[in-house]
């Protein structure tokens, strides 16, 4: 007889099959909890899941530079037993001949079982998900312009969960380019759904959080925010400090970028003012925003975040494909999801 928790996990799992993830609003908070639990389960013994996606093919269509996101999507599939096709950079594709994203995705959905896409235009992942739906192939957004980056948020949530044992009841500071930083937008929106977060939004006036993201904080009953300029003034009250790179590629004017890029630099002197268990997150790549001598501080969580991103992508890819992780339904992690 299957236990109640196994049955509940099975229901949640069945709802994920074939879904595209353009933003995390495409998943319920229970689905996100399920993915966190699966990542935890995978981390305990990666060999156990090494054949979960045997015979599957992931396509990575990356029209924008990427190091960790593409390699993480690909490693995730390889570690699950699947294989990978794709391109890194639009210059080697038919986009240079004028092919639309929609047509490219429609073509690739004949080759692959699941697609991860990154594109400089906001909304590109949504277009791709519609094009692939003809073939029932799920599309995962690996970043669309300055809009959203849902799988980075999964990595962030997993890191926060590991550090604090929770993703609610926190003071979360986000610092730097809150205007163009898509990872910031996805993270705020998602934390708002879990609730009880006070956001401290630290940026110059020119790089403030967009209105549509602020609207989400205002609409959530249990979250609130303050906007400030100075990191030093507020660092002492933060549980999480999420540093970001000023997004040079989204600026219209090089002078503005040069003026703003070094506004915030986290260094050991500032870390001295922070709580002893504050977690420093950064989606990476970093440019100047965190000095290298912060890396050895146990509060630095940004390299751990990379590993968690891969585990979360393993959880996500297998779930959207409907490939169950062997043994998961009997695991303690599955029980915790349904408690
Ligand atoms: C981020 C991105 O591409 O939005 N990087 C990542 O995927 N980890 C952040 C950035 O480029 O600054």
């Amino acid at each position: 007889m299957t236990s109640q928790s196994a049955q509940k996990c099975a229901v949640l799992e069945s709802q994920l099959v074939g879904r595209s993830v353009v933003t995390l609003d495409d998943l319920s908070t229970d689905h996100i909890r399920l993915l966190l639990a699966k990542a935890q389960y995978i981390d305990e013994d990666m060999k156990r899941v090494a054949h979960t996606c045997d015979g599957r093919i992931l396509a990575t269509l990356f029209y924008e530079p990427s190091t960790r996101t593409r390699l993480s999507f690909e490693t995730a599939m390889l570690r699950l037993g699947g294989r990978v096709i794709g391109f890194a950079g639009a210059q080697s594709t038919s986009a240079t001949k004028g092919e639309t994203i929609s047509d490219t995705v429609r073509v690739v959905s004949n080759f692959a079982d699941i697609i991860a896409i990154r594109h400089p235009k906001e909304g590109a992942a949504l277009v791709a998900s519609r094009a692939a739906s003809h073939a029932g192939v799920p599309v995962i957004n690996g970043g669309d312009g300055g809009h959203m980056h849902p799988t980075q948020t999964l990595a962030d949530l997993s890191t926060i969960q590991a550090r604090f044992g929770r993703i609610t009841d926190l003071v979360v500071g986000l610092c730097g380019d809150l205007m163009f930083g898509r990872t910031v937008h996805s993270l705020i929106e998602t934390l708002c759904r879990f609730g009880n977060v006070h956001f401290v939004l630290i940026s110059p006036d020119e790089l403030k959080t967009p209105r549509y993201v602020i609207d989400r904080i205002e609409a959530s009953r249990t979250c609130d925010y303050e906007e400030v300029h100075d990191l030093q003034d507020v660092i002492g009250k933060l549980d999480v400090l999420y540093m970001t790179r000023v997004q040079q590629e989204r600026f219209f004017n090089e002078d503005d970028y040069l003026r703003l890029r070094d506004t915030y630099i986290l260094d050991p002197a500032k870390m001295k003012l922070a709580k002893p268990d504050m977690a420093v997150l950064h989606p990476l790549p970093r440019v100047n925003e965190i000095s290298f001598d912060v890396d050895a501080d146990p509060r630095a969580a940004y390299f751990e975040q990379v590993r968690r991103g891969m585990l979360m992508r393993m959880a996500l890819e297998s779930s959207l494909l409907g490939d169950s992780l062997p043994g998961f339904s009997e695991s303690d992690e599955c029980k915790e999801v349904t408690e």
Side-chain angles (χ1 to χ4, degrees):
M1 213 183 69
T2 48
S3 67
Q4 246 188 346
S5 59
Q7 275 175 21
K8 280 194 190 161
C9 280
V11 170
L12 288 174
E13 290 195 276
S14 69
Q15 293 166 348
L16 287 176
V17 183
R19 247 181 226 231
S20 285
V21 178
V22 175
T23 82
L24 283 183
D25 287 346
D26 292 318
L27 305 177
S28 71
T29 50
D30 279 347
H31 293 141
I32 296 171
R33 279 201 194 88
L34 175 75
L35 295 174
L36 288 165
K38 283 188 167 189
Q40 194 60 37
Y41 177 77
I42 294 168
D43 196 23
E44 269 163 34
D45 180 1
M46 205 150 345
K47 286 211 190 82
R48 211 162 39 180
V49 302
H51 295 287
T52 306
C53 294
D54 276 357
R56 300 294 203 173
I57 293 180
L58 162 79
T60 49
L61 313 183
F62 274 56
Y63 294 87
E64 249 195 349
S66 168
T67 306
R68 75 223 86 237
T69 304
R70 188 174 57 86
L71 293 182
S72 174
F73 270 114
E74 296 187 351
T75 312
M77 182 50 73
L78 295 171
R79 284 190 183 276
L80 290 164
R83 281 171 293 171
V84 178
I85 58 169
F87 55 80
Q91 62 292 342
S92 60
T93 75
S94 293
T96 57
K97 302 181 187 171
E99 187 172 52
T100 62
I101 304 165
S102 192
D103 278 3
T104 303
V105 169
R106 207 143 171 199
V107 167
V108 173
S109 61
N110 291 283
F111 306 146
D113 303 294
I114 185 164
I115 295 172
I117 184 166
R118 167 171 287 190
H119 199 281
K121 287 219 172 86
E122 290 79 10
L126 180 64
V127 169
S129 71
R130 291 190 179 144
S133 66
H134 296 281
V137 171
V139 170
I140 308 174
N141 182 4
D144 61 330
H147 183 222
M148 292 285 155
H149 193 347
T151 60
Q152 180 61 47
T153 296
L154 294 176
D156 305 340
L157 294 177
S158 171
T159 308
I160 296 171
Q161 170 80 37
R163 291 269 166 151
F164 297 95
R166 60 181 198 277
I167 51 175
T168 61
D169 301 289
L170 294 163
V171 178
V172 178
L174 298 110
C175 179
D177 187 348
L178 310 187
M179 161 100 71
F180 298 115
R182 54 195 173 194
T183 66
V184 168
H185 308 156
S186 297
L187 180 59
I188 293 177
E189 288 201 359
T190 309
L191 286 171
C192 280
R193 294 169 64 200
F194 287 93
N196 288 313
V197 170
H198 176 66
F199 294 101
V200 184
L201 306 173
I202 310 153
S203 76
D205 280 336
E206 293 91 331
L207 298 177
K208 276 165 88 169
T209 316
R211 189 68 229 174
Y212 72 93
V213 180
I214 296 287
D215 284 345
R216 289 287 291 257
I217 307 179
E218 289 179 347
S220 84
R221 276 173 289 117
T222 59
C223 296
D224 55 13
Y225 72 99
E226 60 188 296
E227 290 183 301
V228 301
H229 294 127
D230 200 332
L231 172 58
Q232 196 148 323
D233 287 352
V234 294
I235 194 169
K237 64 177 168 186
L238 306 178
D239 297 311
V240 175
L241 172 57
Y242 195 94
M243 295 297 295
T244 63
R245 174 180 70 89
V246 175
Q247 306 280 297
Q248 178 176 17
E249 64 276 32
R250 316 230 186 271
F251 275 70
F252 297 111
N253 180 333
E254 179 72 6
D255 290 344
D256 285 344
Y257 168 69
L258 295 175
R259 185 168 50 81
L260 293 168
R261 68 171 179 185
D262 289 334
T263 312
Y264 303 104
I265 299 177
L266 183 65
D267 57 17
K270 291 200 188 72
M271 288 299 285
K272 277 213 180 91
L273 306 171
K275 289 186 184 175
D277 64 343
M278 183 187 79
V280 182
L281 275 68
H282 190 308
L284 303 177
R286 87 173 122 184
V287 183
N288 272 334
E289 6 7 281
I290 303 179
S291 76
F292 290 109
D293 37 15
V294 174
D295 296 358
D297 190 310
R299 292 170 289 183
Y302 29 94
F303 290 113
E304 172 187 339
Q305 231 173 314
V306 178
R307 174 174 170 77
R308 294 190 174 279
M310 177 192 69
L311 296 168
M312 289 303 280
R313 290 184 180 97
M314 289 174 79
L316 183 64
E317 288 170 3
S318 57
S319 297
L320 302 182
L321 286 167
D323 294 338
S324 326
L325 303 173
F328 176 72
S329 58
E330 293 85 46
S331 68
D332 290 343
E333 285 81 7
C334 165
K335 285 197 193 88
E336 276 164 28
V337 180
T338 56
E339 259 166 16

